[in-house]
Amino acid sequence: MDALVPKPLASKRIVLGVSGSIAAYKSAYVASELVRLGAHVDVVMTESAQRFIGSNTFAALSHNPVTTSLWDSNSEINIDHVLLGTKAHCIVIAPTTANLLAKLALGITDDAITATVLASNAPVVVAPAMDADMFSAPSTQSNVATLKKRGALFVGPEAGRLASGLVGEGRMSEPPDIVDAIRLAIGKSQGDLSGRRVVVTAGGTREPIDPVRVITNRSTGKMGYAIAEAARDRGAETVLITATNGIRPPWGVEIINVNTVGEMRDTTLPAAAGADVLVMAAAISDFRPKSFADEKIKKRGRNGLTMDLEAVEDWMPIATGPRLVKVAFAAETGDAAAKGAAKMEAKGATLTVANDVTEPGSGFGTDTNRVDIVRTDGSVEPLPQMSKYDVGNAILDRVKPYLVDID
C-alpha cells in the first residue's frame, strides 16, 4: 500500500525555523508531517527555542543534523545558513515570535534563522505565536505588513486561550494548516498552474423532504477535496464548492459550503465563468421531492409513505466561460467508461472521469480510486488504482493541453 500513499512534497527541501515560544512543541508535528509527505527537512533553531524543545527531537524526526547557531558546521562549506537557504524550496518559521518578526522585517541577521532567510530566494511561510497584546501592538502589525508586502505568506495566528491564560489572537496555527501553507507557497512560486483558477465541486447534495429528512447519496467528497488540494499545490487559485461536512478544509483553498442542487448551481455557475477549469466531482442529486413538508412527516400506523420525485435539471451544460475547460465525473455501477462516454456531449465536457463505485478501493469513502479518462474522440485511458490525490494530479495533467494561453 506504500505505493498508494501520496508524497506531494517529494524531492522538496524545506527549512523549518523554530524560535523561542511555548508553541515550539507543535513544530515537532510539523517536521514529522513534512517528512511523511516526502520532504527533506532541515531544522534551524534559535538559542531560546532550545529552552522549550531539544534539538535531538528534530534530528530524530528529520533524520538530519539540526543547525542551532551561526557557527555550526554541518555542511561541506561550513556556512550552514547559506547552503540551507540556497537549496531550500521553502522556508517556514513556526513558531515566529514578535522578536523574530521584528528582526526579519528589519533585516537583522544575528541568528541562524534570520541569516538563512536573508541568504535565500525561497518563499517564506510565517506562523506567528505570541500573546494577543504583543501581536496587536502597532510595531508588530507594522512588521507583519512589511513582511507581507515582501511576499511572506502568513498562516495564523489563531484566536484562543494563550499560555498567559488570556484569550485572544496569538495562538500558533495547527500543524496541518502550516503544512498546507508550505504546499501553497511552493505551488505559487513553482507550480505549473500558477496564475490559473480552478473550481471544484465535491460531496453529495441534499434535497430536503421535511425539516428533518433529506434525499442524498453516499458521496463523502474525498475525491473533490483531493482534486482541490492537487490544484492548490500546483499553484492554482482554487475554489472548492462543497456539500460535504466532516472533512478538514484544505488551507489556502476558498471554501463555499452548499446543500442543495440549486445552491450548488447558483454558486458554481458564476464561479466557473472566470475560471480556467471546472471539475464537477460532486455527486449531484438526480431527483428531489416535488413538494417540501413544512413540518416533520409523522408515521401513521402501519402505512408506508409514497413520495413523488421530480428529475433535477443537469446544469453542467450551461456552465461557460471564455477559457473554461470542463471535466465531468461519472460514478457508475458497471461499464463506467461506456456510460461516462455517453454523457460527454450533453454535458459539454472536454474530459469525463468515470469510475465503478462497486470496484474495491474505488467507491465512496475510500482514500484510493481507479478511474478511466474518457475524451471527446471516444478514446478511453484506464488509470491504475492510486490515491485520490494522485488521481487529482492525473486529471490536471490531462487538462493542461486544453488550457487557453494567458498573457
Side-chain angles (χ1 to χ4, degrees), residues 3-4 6 29 54 73 85 87 117-118 131 133 198 207 214 230 239 244 249 265 292 299 352 355 357:
L4 299 181
Y29 294 94
S73 56
K87 285 190 172 184
V117 172
L118 204 65
D131 201 68
D133 290 339
V198 176
E207 296 298 321
V214 297
V239 181
T244 290
R265 177 196 61 221
F292 172 76
K299 241 192 313 189
T352 292
N355 70 305
V357 297

Side-chain angles (χ1 to χ4, degrees), residues 33 40 49 79 95 97 108 121 143 172 182 198 209 221 239 269 284 295 300 310 320 344 358 368 374 393:
E33 183 65 4
H40 175 105
I79 309 177
T97 61
I108 296 172
N121 292 318
N143 293 330
M172 188 171 94
I182 295 166
V198 176
I209 298 169
V239 181
L269 292 179
I284 303 293
E295 295 185 358
R300 295 178 177 87
E310 63 181 6
T320 59
M344 288 194 66
T358 65
T368 57
V374 186
N393 274 307

